[in-house]
């Protein structure tokens, strides 16, 4: 049976590419590791190996730096000032040839992410800043919307058509963990934009609530109009009062 170490060595032998990136990170995180995270999120996902040089040489991470690197990484990817929208990523320790590496798996995201305000995409073994390339950014948004139906925009649905009680419930939930959460002082429209539940269609340039926003916050009748097969709540619930709980949302802009 192939061991974990053998799988990592096999990855290293393949070398950097569209879905694999090496970072030395001997004593601290490379600054561009977050650009790679952003690019992987925006493209097809991938694996980042910390403690490996670009050549594939295994350098390992200094033992006294491991805890700090892990903490710094987790803090940064959950910080909307660094990565927008923030994301949750696991970081695992792996032992290879007697040295400790950190492995980060980055899944493809349904959203378009920015790192330090810039949009990065993956091309071969590089992270490309496409922020100022309007056509490439438009193609990225189009691909996300074509792949993930929850990003479909409904321009005729207004924020006022949604259930304000559920939006306020969302605010209460995020305040449990962070009383200073940015959503606390946002109006409903800014909050929905922040969570990317209110977007602009890259083809029509029309703005509106997304399908994900409808599923989370629409009154039952509007929800049934959009998704006839959906049955919110149970028979004991009155119309417009389904017990939906808006969870798993992430901040996109402050």
């Amino acid at each position: 049976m192939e061991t974990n170490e053998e799988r990592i060595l096999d990855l290293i032998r393949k070398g950097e590419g569209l879905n694999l990136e090496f970072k030395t990170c001997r004593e601290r995180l490379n600054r561009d590791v977050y650009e790679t995270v952003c690019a992987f999120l925006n493209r097809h996902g991938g694996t980042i190996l910390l403690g490996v040089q670009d050549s594939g040489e295994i350098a390992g991470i200094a033992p006294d730096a491991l805890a700090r690197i892990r903490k710094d990484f987790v803090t940064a990817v959950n910080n909307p000032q660094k990565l927008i929208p923030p994301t949750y990523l696991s970081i695992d320790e792996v032992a290879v040839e007697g040295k400790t590496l950190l492995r980060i798996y980055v899944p493809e995201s349904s959203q378009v992410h920015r790192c330090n305000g810039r949009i990065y995409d993956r091309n071969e073994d590089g992270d490309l800043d496409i922020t100022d390339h309007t056509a490439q950014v438009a193609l990225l948004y189009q691909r996300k919307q074509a792949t993930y139906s929850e990003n479909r925009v409904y321009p005729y649905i207004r924020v006022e058509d949604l259930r304000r009680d559920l939006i306020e419930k969302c605010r209460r939930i995020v305040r449990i963990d962070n009383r200073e959460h940015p959503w606390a002082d946002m109006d409903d429209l800014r909050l929905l934009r922040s969570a990317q539940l209110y977007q602009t269609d890259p083809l029509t340039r029309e703005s509106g609530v997304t399908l994900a926003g409808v599923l989370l916050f629409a009154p039952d009748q509007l929800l049934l109009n959009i998704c006839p097969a959906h049955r919110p709540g149970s028979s004991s619930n009155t119309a417009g009062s389904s017990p939906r709980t808006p969870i798993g949302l992430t901040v996109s802009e402050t």
Side-chain angles (χ1 to χ4, degrees), residues 213-254:
V214 171
L215 291 171
L216 284 168
F217 298 125
D220 289 354
Q221 188 55 56
L222 177 57
L223 178 56
L224 290 172
N225 290 342
I226 300 298
C227 306
H230 188 75
R231 291 291 180 268
S234 64
S235 58
S236 62
N237 291 317
T238 58
S241 59
S242 59
R244 279 169 279 156
T245 301
I247 60 175
L249 304 181
T250 52
V251 179
S252 171
E253 61 187 46
T254 57

Side-chain angles (χ1 to χ4, degrees), residues 30-46:
N30 299 47
R31 288 185 177 182
D32 59 357
V33 69
Y34 304 110
E35 297 173 5
T36 300
V37 168
C38 182
F40 279 166
L41 288 166
N42 286 338
R43 182 51 56 173
H44 301 307

Side-chain angles (χ1 to χ4, degrees), residues 84-144:
I84 301 175
T87 188
Y88 174 81
L89 299 174
S90 61
I91 180 167
D92 304 313
E93 290 186 23
V94 290
V96 179
E97 297 182 348
K99 298 175 182 177
T100 302
L101 309 181
L102 290 174
R103 175 180 56 190
I104 303 163
Y105 173 67
V106 183
E108 179 179 359
S109 174
S110 64
Q111 308 293 338
V112 173
H113 292 257
R114 293 173 180 260
C115 176
N116 295 323
R118 310 295 292 179
I119 300 175
Y120 291 88
D121 200 358
R122 188 73 175 174
N123 182 22
E124 298 300 331
D125 62 349
D127 306 318
L128 302 182
D129 183 348
I130 65 170
T131 312
D132 300 323
H133 300 275
T134 305
Q136 292 184 52
V137 172
L139 286 172
L140 176 58
Y141 274 97
Q142 290 173 29
R143 180 169 58 80
K144 295 289 186 183

Side-chain angles (χ1 to χ4, degrees), residues 145-178:
Q145 289 206 342
T147 304
Y148 299 96
S149 60
E150 67 265 27
N151 290 330
R152 184 182 307 156
V153 173
Y154 292 87
Y156 57 87
I157 298 179
R158 302 168 301 171
V159 176
E160 294 78 12
D161 296 326
L162 303 179
R163 287 180 52 184
R164 296 195 63 187
D165 64 310
L166 285 179
I167 298 176
E168 183 56 36
K169 185 175 183 179
C170 178
R171 288 191 180 93
R172 292 199 302 272
I173 290 173
V174 299
R175 287 191 191 117
I176 293 174
D177 293 326
N178 181 6

